[in-house]
Amino acid sequence: MSRVLSRITMLFLALFALSVFADETPSYIKAGQLIDVLNGSTHADQVIVIQNDKIVNVAAAANVTIPDGATVIDLSDKTVMPGLLDMHVHLTSDHRFHGYQGLGISVPRSALYGVLNARKTINAGFTTVRNVGAKGYADVALRDAINDGEIVGPSMRVSGPSLGITGGHCDNNLLPSQFGVKNEGVADGPWEVRAKVREIIKYGADVIKFCATGGVLSKGDSVGDQQYTLEEMQVLVAEAHQHGRKVAAHAHGAEGIKAAILAGVDSVEHSSLIDDEGIRLAKEYGTFLVFDVYNDTYILEHGAEVGMLPESLDKEREIGQLQRDNFRKAFEAGARMAFGSDSAVYPHGDNGKQFAYMVEYGMTPMQAIQAATVHAAELIGWPDTVGAIAPGRYADIIAVDGNPLEDVRVMEDVSFVMKGGEVYKR
Ligand SMILES: [Zn+2]
């Protein structure tokens, strides 16, 4: 007995010693201007104290004594803010291959694009992303390789394949029947949907994505039409929530948006044709709206050359401007909003270009930055660990030259990136 006890004591001592040695001495960031997204304010001459991967203190420079020989990162000529979050990315897809051009991309190849695109995304200042739709669970592999420190990239929440109806936006309608192509997320009817949610969770999804309506970059469906019945959506959401997974619904059309909100989804992606009743319901249910208001510009300028179908370009012309107008309407009505850009539709790393459109359509720069930090952190389910510079949170910190509150386009060129206390770009 006493031998067992002494072994336990030794083990505890060893663990204690390890934890003491693992605690590195703090490092210090001097911030010329610091954006406090929790309070919507800016403070000059601040010091952020970081230990291991976390922020331990934030205070006015005058109140912090930096010890001699300490590691100091001097960002006193920059504006410092929390690492950004993008709620709608496709890191394992590439903007150069749309429509039939995308059929030649294997799942392993898509995972390798993911390695490249993860790096581009973190270099753009996005230290956390939600990947909503990937073939063959390439997103799960990407997330795990980043978490294990094997490759460079943002922290990821991933969905695996998107669920959808046969022939819908989340199926693949590009080839005739003799090829037998069906996307792996296709499921019809309540029990098939329930089983598919279980299968997707089994293979590593943190979040469930499904298509509630038609889409722009798919063949043969109408962009506004509802796909999935309310009953199917209710079952899907119930099954996902039962396993602690949030649900993101791709939805452009007004009826599909309302059905998704009524079914209890956590966010509506795109939200293009949302009507007054949909906005009212989103507020009542606390549903986040994720409007990807930049990529319309890219689709109309470059879509044809990267293989987007003529019908996709027609659909974009039909809804692009309406989406931006509805972004303004929903924001002014007080709906909850989080930043999501649908990267892969446009080149990865250009995520920050969306800020200017969010400001053009009604937000202040501070509100747009809050949508990409504190609000997105809430949607992704990490409200206390990312999305703000505050004690106890991960040291995910970025900096830009200039003042984004005066000119939000400086967000397109992030000059410093730290994730979890480690510097990735300087
Ligand atoms: Zn998407």
Side-chain angles (χ1 to χ4, degrees), residues 88 90 132 209 250 270 342 345:
H88 194 127
H90 302 277
V132 279
K209 155 92 181 286
H250 156 110
H270 312 299
D342 215 353
V345 169

Side-chain angles (χ1 to χ4, degrees), residues 9 11 27 29-30 87 109 172 180 185 188 195 228 231 234 260 271 276 300 315 357 366 385 396-397:
T9 313
L11 182 67
S27 56
I29 292 179
K30 288 182 178 173
M87 294 297 96
R109 190 76 181 92
N172 186 332
D188 297 296
Y228 274 141
E231 186 191 11
Q234 284 168 329
S271 316
D276 291 345
L300 296 182
K315 289 181 196 175
Y357 291 85
M366 178 65 86
T385 51
D396 294 354
I397 296 166

Side-chain angles (χ1 to χ4, degrees), residues 49 53-58 384-386 388-395:
V49 187
D53 54 356
K54 298 265 172 61
I55 296 162
V56 292
N57 191 19
V58 186
D384 304 316
T385 51
V386 297
I389 295 179
R393 298 197 189 224
Y394 283 109

